Amino acid sequence: MTKQLPTELKRQRGTLRADRQNPAEPILPSTIPPTPTWLSEQGQKSFIELSLLLHDMTVLTLADSMALEMLCDSYSEYKTAKEVVNTLGSTEIVMSREGNAKTVIRPEVQIANQAFVRVFQLLKEFGLTPSSRAKVNAIEGYASTPDIKIENFFSNDD
């Protein structure tokens, strides 16, 4: 069974048909939810930047705030783990009980890999990858925020 797409996404893709429309689908306005205080500093920064970007894309509602929180938390976890791997390397030497040295993969490698999978899946859900974005047509008349660009989001360390 294929995933049911929201009406707005069908409208933006140009595939909306009356016979495929859910007349009882909730319609929520695009809005920027409050930044959660429990997120790390990096997570909060990501939340603010992505909130503005997704609001400009008219795809963010209050109902999406939990998914956005999870995206930003996972991205923060990914970035933290990758910083450890980039600094200390992907392996470490540990001593066995018998006193033998053994090279093992650092736990942060697995943490980064698992966080990457979560981040990538959530990016697709929000239409933030080239292939998922290519399936959506922009709605005319909506202003964009020129200083927030998805291309800069993941490459900017500030």
Side-chain angles (χ1 to χ4, degrees), residues 45 64 74 109 115 117 123 129 140 154:
K45 180 181 176 220
D64 306 316
S74 294
V109 171
V117 169
L123 287 172
T129 65
E140 290 184 31
F154 291 105

Side-chain angles (χ1 to χ4, degrees), residues 89-139:
S90 59
T91 61
E92 63 183 338
I93 298 174
V94 296
M95 299 300 283
S96 68
R97 292 181 199 166
E98 295 81 27
N100 299 324
K102 179 178 165 182
T103 302
V104 296
I105 295 176
R106 234 176 237 296
E108 291 84 1
V109 171
Q110 185 174 7
I111 292 168
N113 288 342
Q114 290 173 347
F116 177 88
V117 169
R118 291 191 310 271
V119 168
F120 193 71
Q121 184 58 43
L122 285 164
L123 287 172
K124 290 191 298 186
E125 289 293 323
F126 282 107
L128 293 174
T129 65
S131 62
S132 64
R133 197 169 44 255
K135 297 173 187 173
V136 178
N137 297 320
I139 298 175

Side-chain angles (χ1 to χ4, degrees), residues 51-70:
S51 292
L52 293 171
L53 179 69
L54 292 167
H55 178 64
D56 284 350
M57 293 170 60
T58 66
V59 295
L60 183 63
T61 70
L62 283 178
D64 306 316
S65 62
M66 188 182 299
L68 182 58
E69 290 172 15
M70 291 175 11

Side-chain angles (χ1 to χ4, degrees), residues 23-41:
E25 181 180 355
I27 299 172
L28 299 169
S30 181
T31 186
I32 297 175
T35 305
T37 57
W38 63 268
L39 283 173
S40 68
E41 186 178 330

Side-chain angles (χ1 to χ4, degrees), residues 77-92:
E77 185 178 326
Y78 170 79
K79 196 166 181 179
T80 301
K82 281 300 289 178
E83 287 171 356
V84 171
V85 171
N86 291 344
T87 302
L88 302 176
S90 59
T91 61
E92 63 183 338

